[in-house]
Amino acid sequence: MSLQGPIATHRMRTGIPTGRLAVWWGLASEIFIFGGLIMCFLLFKFNNAPGFEDADMTSTAAGAFNTFVLLTSSLSIVLAHAAAEKGDIQASFRYIWFTIGGGLVFLLVKTYEYSSKIYGGITLTENVFWSFYFTATGLHALHVIGGMVIMGMISFDVRKNHNLQRVELIGLYWHFVDIVWIFLFPILYIANF
Amino acid sequence: MGQQAEAILHETEAHDAHHEMSFWDKYIFSVDHKIIGFQYMFTGLIMAAIGGYFAYAFRMQLAWPGEEVPFYGLVDAAKYNMLVTNHGTIMIFWVAMPVLIAAFGNWLIPLMIGCDDMVFPRLNRLSYQIFLVSALVLILSFFVTGGGFGGAWTSYPPLSAVAAYNLTNWGASLWLLAVFLEIVAFLLGGINFVTTTMNARAPGMGMMDIPIVVWMINIAVILFMASVGPLVAGAVMLFFDQRLGTSFFIPSGGGDPLLWEHLFWFFGHPEVYVVLLPTMGIVAEIITVFSRKKLFGYRTILYTAFGTGGLSFIVWAHHQFVAGIDPRMANVFVVTTILISIPIAEMLFSFIATLYGGSIEFSTPMLWALGFLVSFLIGGVTGIYLGASALDVYFHDSYFVIAHFHYTFFPITIIGMFAAITYWFPKMFGRMMDETLNKIHFWGTFIPFNGLFLPLFLVGMAGQHRRIADFTQYPDLASPDLQSIRIFATVSLVILLLFQFVFIYNFFNSMFKGKKAPLNPWKANTLEWTVSSPPPHGNFAELPTIYRGPYEYSVPGREEDYWPQHLAPNQ
Ligand code: HEM
Ligand SMILES: [Cu+2]
């Protein structure tokens, strides 16, 4: 057949490009996964499970700083998308790497938090609160890493003026990662509500 | 899931032209939706054989406890648990889902909506590959030290979470990993199905011109996605409990085992409809074609499917009536459970109304479809008994439950699968199956199926508990009457299994030596019957345009009694 892959891929009955539609569905399934995790956390908390007062011990300052970093990186991926739309591939490339930088800063802060807890003797098995803390932030961090890798790959495509629509798609994903963090931050860092 | 997004992104890339293809490219690493459908189908059939073999082994043990089972060996308590657990897991996750959703979804969606492939062919292939790995991991788990997991397909902690309790340290974790991978495969595949149906329909095909089976597969995929998310999170937590020493579900460490039950059944109940709806769709297609009548209430069927789907999210705790939940909560779930039987009953009535006054032809696919209606009815009605908490307190975990859900699952999975295979075989392989052998196989399956599970209602009512390896240990249950019922059920099973060889022979013989099939042997309206059999890569010589809905049979004033979707009004 043609070099373009199946004709099916290029049809657009809904008016929404197929790639974007698929990313939305993918994110929807992720929302149910993280939604379930957060729901479990809240159930434990409201049933007064032991250990949940330890939310006091997480560093609110580090969490807040990371929130700021992720929000900023979300802005820069929007700018990357806008630049790609205008065809300014150099600017788009730069903004993508700025976003990746944001992810990197986020991970460094996370590493600092993890190691200070672990050297302080608190690990995954301390109690149910800490199990949640490490599991939830760990899964989130894996999503950050995955996003950064994909962004890196997309950036080089962008520089060759290929597949510019993917900047928008990775942007959607990055916003999702951001939003998950916006939920994790209050329940794990702003302590006892 | 970074990989997921990555895979999606990759798919939008153009892929190369297909020149002469090697065997490997054509059948093993193919991106063609039909080949991937076959891969799912054959993997599912092999797994069905394993699941059936396990059922054979543990049923033989129940009929003749402590005796060596021919072709298996001794079934001790640990082996019994492993067999039951993996029988259930295999039948649901590695048979019902791959065959009904993935195999027929792959085969039918692009053909029935009139396009050349799925929108993301390589994502499709990746989904199958992950599925295959999941099956291999599960099979591997039977052979590690300690043996396969025996903590039931529901995998309740703390039994499933603590190796010292379940005694299957690695078996338990590999089982969990396999289920996890299977779920990932279906989430990826599901994205493809839904986006394809939404975006790639042929010109002219509105929402209400989509064949019911395609609708049903899509609704099932969305239900699956929405219900399985929390279980994925739960599976990660359970895995950490097993391997990293956390206590999410272990009470001695402050965890909550009941939480797992909620997560499991919040998925587990919608899952019933995830597998039911595709079979309902298959049955709808077959019934209309062989009644030569318009489907009764296309929209009603759709709305009942939406209603069922929605309600299925608020019935889960009917599995936990005796798990120590608040009795006031139990009342709520009794009401929702009884409610959900309404839309499903309505759907069945639509099918019966379609049959009413039709010129019915009892071909093999039609026999399977009717067999489905009859037996699923028994499963549905007994479900209402169990949904009433007062009765369920007695029936819970008894063979009444086993008989009930096999009267739903067996029709859905096995009968639905045979209905679909016998109906679409001519398109899949370009040859007809042998009708006589097909009918022998139908009766040889349908009668023993009832002989197998009807008696189980009786032993259940007599108080026989499920997941027990040897009833001679229980004086109340060791009576000769009960034992003879058990033997009757097991003999029925053996007969049922033997008749499957008729099918296997007929399947392969017809595939190579069957009569050449005409393009449209059943005179059906839907688009898959307009392409050559078997359809080539790319499906349609010329992509079709659609002029009407899929069920215009016996339209007054038309010479022929069917009116294919792609024919222009003046043709
Ligand atoms: C081939 C014929 C089949 C036979 C003879 C059979 C028999 C049984 C029996 C006797 C049990 C209960 C064993 C016990 O609790 O000690 C059982 C459990 C189960 N079966 Fe089947 N079954 C068959 C087919 C199926 C199919 C087609 C499905 C689903 C698609 C299925 C799903 C299950 C499930 C989910 C369980 C529960 C496993 C557990 O307790 O963890 N079975 N089967
Ligand atoms: Cu249920």
Side-chain angles (χ1 to χ4, degrees):
Chain A
M1 301 271 308
S2 72
L3 285 166
Q4 294 298 308
I7 292 162
T9 315
H10 303 282
R11 283 191 173 160
M12 214 163 78
R13 285 298 296 262
T14 55
I16 305 168
T18 300
R20 197 193 299 161
L21 203 58
V23 171
W24 277 117
W25 280 109
L27 294 182
S29 49
E30 290 263 33
I31 286 171
F32 286 105
I33 298 172
F34 276 99
L37 191 67
I38 291 170
M39 189 58 95
C40 291
F41 178 90
L42 294 177
L43 283 172
F44 270 109
K45 185 170 177 71
F46 293 128
N47 284 319
N48 299 315
F52 277 63
E53 60 284 353
D54 287 3
D56 283 343
M57 292 163 62
T58 49
S59 162
T60 314
F65 176 72
N66 258 351
T67 311
F68 171 74
V69 169
L70 270 194
L71 284 173
T72 313
S73 72
S74 256
L75 174 67
S76 67
I77 197 71
V78 171
L79 294 175
H81 173 212
E85 294 262 275
K86 277 195 264 140
D88 186 351
I89 54 175
Q90 285 310 324
S92 184
F93 181 81
R94 271 197 311 277
Y95 281 125
I96 294 176
W97 277 93
F98 186 82
T99 314
I100 296 176
L104 201 63
V105 173
F106 178 89
L107 290 174
L108 287 175
V109 174
K110 218 56 269 136
T111 313
Y112 158 75
E113 284 183 77
Y114 272 21
S115 48
S116 65
K117 288 289 166 300
I118 292 169
Y119 285 119
I122 295 175
T123 61
L124 186 70
T125 56
E126 178 73 12
N127 60 36
V128 177
F129 173 81
W130 289 107
S131 302
F132 262 112
Y133 171 83
F134 283 108
T135 307
T137 55
L139 284 179
H140 177 260
L142 283 181
H143 281 73
V144 172
I145 295 170
M148 287 162 61
V149 172
I150 301 168
M151 248 184 253
M153 299 189 322
I154 290 178
S155 74
F156 295 110
D157 262 8
V158 166
R159 209 162 49 171
K160 287 189 230 125
N161 209 359
H162 275 165
N163 296 319
L164 294 185
Q165 82 284 1
R166 289 186 185 175
V167 181
E168 181 197 355
L169 304 185
I170 191 65
L172 287 173
Y173 172 83
W174 198 250
H175 292 325
F176 163 77
V177 172
D178 198 357
I179 289 168
V180 169
W181 180 256
I182 303 254
F183 277 93
L184 293 182
F185 174 54
I187 64 173
L188 296 173
Y189 288 85
I190 312 192
N192 295 305
F193 48 87
Chain B
M1 223 148 286
Q3 283 177 338
Q4 180 173 322
E6 181 184 333
I8 296 165
L9 295 174
H10 267 225
E11 285 306 326
T12 37
E13 215 170 70
H15 68 142
D16 292 327
H18 303 271
H19 316 290
E20 345 83 64
M21 287 185 292
S22 69
F23 171 83
W24 286 91
D25 286 342
K26 197 160 175 205
Y27 296 109
I28 308 297
F29 295 109
S30 173
V31 288
D32 185 304
H33 69 103
K34 300 179 293 294
I35 300 294
I36 295 172
F38 276 146
Q39 291 173 335
Y40 269 113
M41 188 166 96
F42 285 110
T43 316
L45 288 172
I46 292 169
M47 294 306 275
I50 299 177
Y53 172 62
F54 282 11
Y56 157 82
F58 67 66
R59 279 288 346 158
M60 290 297 279
Q61 154 68 17
L62 292 179
W64 293 284
E67 282 176 38
E68 184 126 344
V69 176
F71 308 109
Y72 185 83
L74 275 180
V75 180
D76 58 19
K79 282 214 185 99
Y80 186 91
N81 289 341
M82 172 273 179
L83 290 171
V84 168
T85 301
N86 288 290
H87 156 78
T89 315
I90 286 176
M91 289 297 193
I92 305 273
F93 289 113
W94 281 276
V95 182
M97 294 193 59
V99 175
L100 298 175
I101 298 179
F104 287 107
N106 258 311
W107 248 91
L108 297 178
I109 290 175
L111 284 171
M112 285 187 139
I113 67 174
C115 62
D116 54 347
D117 206 328
M118 289 283 176
V119 291
F120 302 122
R122 284 190 290 161
L123 179 65
N124 207 9
R125 178 179 61 188
L126 179 68
S127 149
Y128 173 73
Q129 287 169 341
I130 296 176
F131 173 77
L132 181 63
V133 171
S134 78
L136 295 176
V137 171
L138 186 80
I139 291 170
L140 174 70
S141 83
F142 306 154
F143 299 105
V144 293
T145 36
F149 179 53
W153 85 291
T154 50
S155 186
Y156 282 3
L159 177 65
S160 58
V162 184
Y165 302 163
N166 59 43
L167 306 179
T168 52
N169 185 359
W170 286 106
S173 296
L174 287 176
W175 178 92
L176 193 56
L177 179 66
V179 173
F180 179 85
L181 290 173
E182 199 266 4
I183 291 172
V184 171
F186 274 86
L187 285 174
L188 292 178
I191 293 174
N192 215 348
F193 286 15
V194 178
T195 34
T196 302
T197 312
M198 286 175 79
N199 253 358
R201 295 196 306 281
M205 183 177 272
M207 299 276 266
M208 295 296 148
D209 301 323
I210 302 175
I212 287 286
V213 67
V214 174
W215 263 113
M216 291 295 185
I217 291 172
N218 276 283
I219 299 172
V221 159
I222 294 171
L223 280 184
F224 178 75
M225 183 195 78
S227 62
V228 86
L231 186 68
V232 171
V236 172
M237 288 151 72
L238 185 59
F239 194 78
F240 284 4
D241 278 4
Q242 288 177 345
R243 302 257 62 100
L244 301 179
T246 56
S247 296
F248 289 110
F249 302 119
I250 303 172
S252 59
D256 182 3
L258 206 58
L259 178 63
W260 169 268
E261 293 190 23
H262 286 300
L263 294 176
F264 184 85
W265 288 115
F266 182 78
F267 159 76
H269 195 93
E271 172 70 5
V272 176
Y273 298 97
V274 170
V275 294
L276 169 64
L277 292 180
T279 293
M280 287 287 203
I282 290 164
V283 167
E285 302 299 328
I286 294 174
I287 279 186
T288 34
V289 168
F290 292 107
S291 307
R292 314 308 296 165
K293 260 186 76 190
K294 192 173 176 139
L295 183 68
F296 185 90
Y298 177 100
R299 277 168 197 261
T300 312
I301 291 175
L302 271 191
Y303 298 149
T304 56
F306 294 143
T308 312
L311 279 170
S312 74
F313 285 95
I314 49 169
V315 299
W316 80 90
H318 61 213
H319 297 275
Q320 297 163 266
F321 285 146
V322 300
I325 61 170
D326 189 322
R328 288 165 300 182
M329 281 285 278
N331 287 342
V332 175
F333 283 97
V334 171
V335 174
T336 55
T337 303
I338 309 279
L339 272 181
I340 202 171
S341 59
I342 297 173
I344 279 294
E346 209 175 326
M347 200 185 289
L348 288 179
F349 280 129
S350 276
F351 294 167
I352 294 170
T354 307
L355 291 168
Y356 183 77
S359 29
I360 293 174
E361 184 197 332
F362 290 101
S363 62
T364 313
M366 185 65 158
L367 286 178
W368 286 114
L370 297 175
F372 169 82
L373 292 185
V374 174
S375 36
F376 185 77
L377 203 67
I378 302 179
V381 168
T382 51
I384 299 181
Y385 299 7
L386 295 170
S389 58
L391 267 178
D392 188 63
V393 170
Y394 178 70
F395 281 144
H396 182 83
D397 257 355
S398 75
Y399 266 70
F400 191 89
V401 174
I402 298 287
H404 150 69
F405 75 68
H406 282 86
Y407 261 99
T408 62
F409 276 140
F410 191 94
I412 291 172
T413 311
I414 308 296
I415 296 186
M417 168 176 94
F418 285 136
I421 291 179
T422 50
Y423 180 65
W424 279 290
F425 190 94
K427 188 52 63 188
M428 291 179 155
F429 301 103
R431 290 174 189 270
M432 303 299 287
M433 288 187 92
D434 184 294
E435 261 311 268
T436 319
L437 288 180
N438 254 344
K439 288 199 166 132
I440 294 173
H441 171 239
F442 169 77
W443 291 110
T445 304
F446 190 73
I447 297 171
F449 153 65
N450 287 285
L452 163 59
F453 289 110
L454 271 183
L456 297 191
F457 282 117
L458 298 179
V459 289
M461 285 188 278
Q464 178 174 313
H465 238 248
R466 69 194 279 203
R467 297 171 183 154
I468 303 280
D470 182 355
F471 292 103
T472 57
Q473 309 293 323
Y474 299 81
D476 291 351
L477 296 172
S479 79
D481 311 1
L482 286 178
Q483 194 58 31
S484 56
I485 299 182
R486 282 177 210 128
I487 293 177
F488 185 86
T490 299
V491 171
S492 301
L493 167 66
V494 173
I495 296 174
L496 187 153
L497 291 177
L498 287 177
F499 270 99
Q500 303 318 304
F501 290 104
V502 177
F503 175 78
I504 296 174
Y505 169 78
N506 191 7
F507 186 87
F508 287 106
N509 193 49
S510 309
M511 199 160 132
F512 297 111
K513 300 216 185 87
K515 208 166 76 226
K516 279 255 185 283
L519 219 54
N520 189 357
W522 319 120
K523 301 198 184 335
N525 285 343
T526 39
L527 293 173
E528 78 274 26
W529 300 105
T530 64
V531 300
S532 54
S533 324
H537 190 75
N539 299 340
F540 295 88
E542 193 182 331
L543 287 169
T545 303
I546 272 64
Y547 296 95
R548 64 190 61 75
Y551 303 114
E552 299 300 326
Y553 290 101
S554 307
V555 178
R558 224 185 116 72
E559 198 176 316
E560 275 173 324
D561 72 346
Y562 66 116
W563 205 356
Q565 288 189 275
H566 69 290
L567 289 187
N570 51 0
Q571 273 180 290

